[in-house]
Amino acid sequence: MDRNELLEAPVENGCIVIPSGVTLAWGPQDSLFVHLCISSQEKCKNHLNVHDLTFVTEKELQLDDEKAMHFSFASYASSVFSTIRRVVDIEESSFLHSIANYSELYMEFVSNSHSGEEFFLSYDMRYLLKTNKKSEIRFFLSILGDYLQHFVSYPHTLLVKYVGCYSVKMPGKRRKFFLAMQNIFFPPDRIKDRFDVKGCLAGRYQKPDPPGSNAINVLKDQNFINEKLEIGAEAEWLVQQITVDSVFLRDLCVMDYSLLIGRQTLHQSELSQTKSEVVTKIWRSLSPVKRVNHPEANGMNNMQLSETKTDEKTGTSPLDELDNLPGLITIQPSSQTTTHIKGGMTFPSSLAHSIERFNSEHRRLLPNSPNALHIIDGLQFRYYLGIIDFLTQWSYMQKAARVWKMIKYCSRDHSTLPPDVYSHRFITFITEHIA
């Protein structure tokens, strides 16, 4: 059964029924495609409440045979993520075309990350999919309101843009959770150097590839120690935004995050700009998202999302699997989120066209290129910059890891430090390498 036939399959009791004898080549790319096509009607909202943060939509595929095997797909806080996509100027049709294309599969790649997670790129390389631990997903959902509010307050933040949260449950296997995010290194064609920088040196060396190698290698802090980000006029903005973002993460009590850095040489034609290009940059920088009508104006207030389904055998839903993790808190909006969205969240008009709040929202002039929120043109180079991997909480496990790393490296200059210390060192290290 191909993908088009799958979309036309009959639905019974909320399940898509697959005829007996049909073979499905299940892989991450297939499962995500099915889920996104099923849930593509979920819309963004102008007003969000606490229920949107914990809402789960689940759909099932059923094999119509004696075993009646079920494959279930869940989407978490789908309205919130749809709103995030709107905030960072991602059209829904473009998102689905990239991440759920009918004829293209995902590209799996090997990362030098020690997390052990799986990584996939959409066929056009605009989006990255990464599997995550259940504890990370549950924590992320608990801070999702704060995360969204940070984008509202600072539209040009360097935090990686998470644009979807999903899970898939295969027969006889544990549910697998994953996040969809924008690829910071897009477009990748001319990127020459890549770094993953945490602001520490212990255990932070990556052997460079030999000359002439076509492999993509992400280097680390020891490789970066003698480098400079030659930003020029945007240097002050970059220092301030790194500080704002890192302090935000500090207040969420997380650590071990990184600044991804990509670097490519600017062509001579890119070093100067015409008047029309400058005008385009100003307009784009003031209007990173399109105006969205009030929900009542487009019928969204009458939209009904399907309820979360419960597994008949275990009596649990995808959200229950997150809630029932031992030793961790239940998903709930943080106190900061409650303050922001109590009574509903309304996005300020400045996101669409206001110039008065340009400075208070710490905006900058964005380049005329795709992925502009993560691109800064310096004196000679174009830089791709984004903060990633900020889902590690400072816990007893991390405190134990801190002691172990001190013994292993005979140094305190490692990546496992309390959030306040980590943030200060991160800001200092990056600032010292900005010119």
Side-chain angles (χ1 to χ4, degrees), residues 333-394:
S334 69
S335 57
Q336 183 179 351
T337 300
T338 304
T339 300
H340 286 309
I341 68 173
K342 187 176 182 180
M345 177 185 289
T346 303
F347 295 103
S349 61
S350 62
L351 281 179
H353 56 72
S354 174
I355 193 172
E356 289 88 0
R357 298 181 64 178
F358 186 91
N359 290 328
S360 65
E361 292 180 343
H362 202 244
R363 296 173 185 249
R364 62 184 173 92
L365 292 181
L366 299 175
N368 298 323
S369 61
N371 196 27
L373 290 173
H374 287 292
I375 292 177
I376 298 179
D377 284 343
L379 301 177
Q380 301 180 37
F381 299 100
R382 168 165 288 180
Y383 295 96
Y384 297 74
L385 303 169
I387 298 175
I388 63 167
D389 294 341
F390 45 81
L391 300 182
T392 302
Q393 298 172 270
W394 181 245

Side-chain angles (χ1 to χ4, degrees), residues 109-382:
F109 66 94
V110 178
S111 168
N112 56 10
S113 169
H114 296 300
S115 65
E117 303 295 346
E118 297 174 84
F119 296 83
F120 299 88
L121 278 170
S122 62
Y123 83 97
D124 57 4
M125 305 186 79
R126 287 179 178 269
Y127 299 97
L128 174 69
L129 301 173
K130 178 186 176 184
T131 59
N132 292 84
K133 300 174 183 177
K134 290 188 289 185
S135 58
E136 293 176 335
I137 294 295
R138 195 177 66 177
F139 170 68
F140 183 52
L141 292 177
S142 75
I143 65 169
L144 186 54
D146 299 323
Y147 178 72
L148 175 55
Q149 184 61 48
H150 190 69
F151 285 117
V152 172
S153 301
Y154 301 98
H156 295 175
T157 174
L158 292 174
L159 296 184
V160 65
K161 283 45 174 193
Y162 288 113
V163 292
C165 180
Y166 310 97
S167 70
V168 57
K169 179 69 171 66
M170 304 288 189
K173 297 182 179 180
R174 294 181 179 180
R175 185 176 294 274
K176 180 170 289 190
F177 299 89
F178 48 97
L179 289 167
M181 68 195 81
Q182 282 188 303
N183 178 15
I184 292 171
F185 293 148
F186 179 85
D189 303 349
R190 291 164 47 199
I191 298 179
K192 181 180 180 182
D193 305 304
R194 296 170 175 83
F195 299 91
D196 179 304
V197 176
K198 293 180 181 287
C200 61
L201 299 179
R204 298 292 298 167
Y205 175 79
Q206 176 66 27
K207 184 178 179 180
D209 288 322
S213 173
N214 293 323
I216 295 177
N217 194 5
V218 180
L219 305 177
K220 299 185 178 181
D221 298 68
Q222 289 189 35
N223 308 91
F224 185 74
I225 194 66
N226 294 320
E227 301 284 350
K228 288 287 185 180
L229 299 177
E230 299 176 344
I231 302 299
E234 300 280 11
E236 183 179 356
W237 179 92
L238 180 57
V239 170
Q240 293 176 355
Q241 192 60 54
I242 289 288
T243 301
V244 167
D245 291 337
S246 186
V247 168
F248 169 71
L249 298 177
R250 178 202 67 189
D251 292 344
L252 293 176
C253 206
V254 299
M255 33 71 70
D256 205 28
Y257 44 87
S258 304
L259 177 68
L260 276 189
I261 302 171
R263 183 173 61 192
Q264 71 181 40
T265 302
L266 286 170
H267 290 161
Q268 189 63 36
S269 60
E270 297 170 324
L271 295 174
S272 59
Q273 302 177 70
T274 65
K275 291 182 179 179
S276 62
E277 288 174 334
V278 173
V279 171
T280 301
K281 287 180 67 174
I282 293 174
W283 174 250
R284 184 175 194 176
S285 303
L286 293 176
S287 307
V289 297
K290 296 177 174 60
R291 182 185 294 276
V292 178
N293 295 327
H294 189 276
E296 294 182 357
N298 55 21
M300 286 173 58
N301 59 316
N302 296 321
M303 181 183 67
Q304 298 293 324
L305 296 179
S306 59
E307 296 181 354
T308 304
K309 297 183 181 296
T310 300
D311 187 282
E312 295 181 357
K313 295 182 180 180
T314 63
T316 61
S317 72
L319 188 59
D320 292 331
E321 291 191 35
L322 293 172
D323 285 339
N324 295 333
L325 286 174
L328 293 173
I329 62 172
T330 302
I331 291 180
Q332 58 184 358
S334 69
S335 57
Q336 183 179 351
T337 300
T338 304
T339 300
H340 286 309
I341 68 173
K342 187 176 182 180
M345 177 185 289
T346 303
F347 295 103
S349 61
S350 62
L351 281 179
H353 56 72
S354 174
I355 193 172
E356 289 88 0
R357 298 181 64 178
F358 186 91
N359 290 328
S360 65
E361 292 180 343
H362 202 244
R363 296 173 185 249
R364 62 184 173 92
L365 292 181
L366 299 175
N368 298 323
S369 61
N371 196 27
L373 290 173
H374 287 292
I375 292 177
I376 298 179
D377 284 343
L379 301 177
Q380 301 180 37
F381 299 100
R382 168 165 288 180

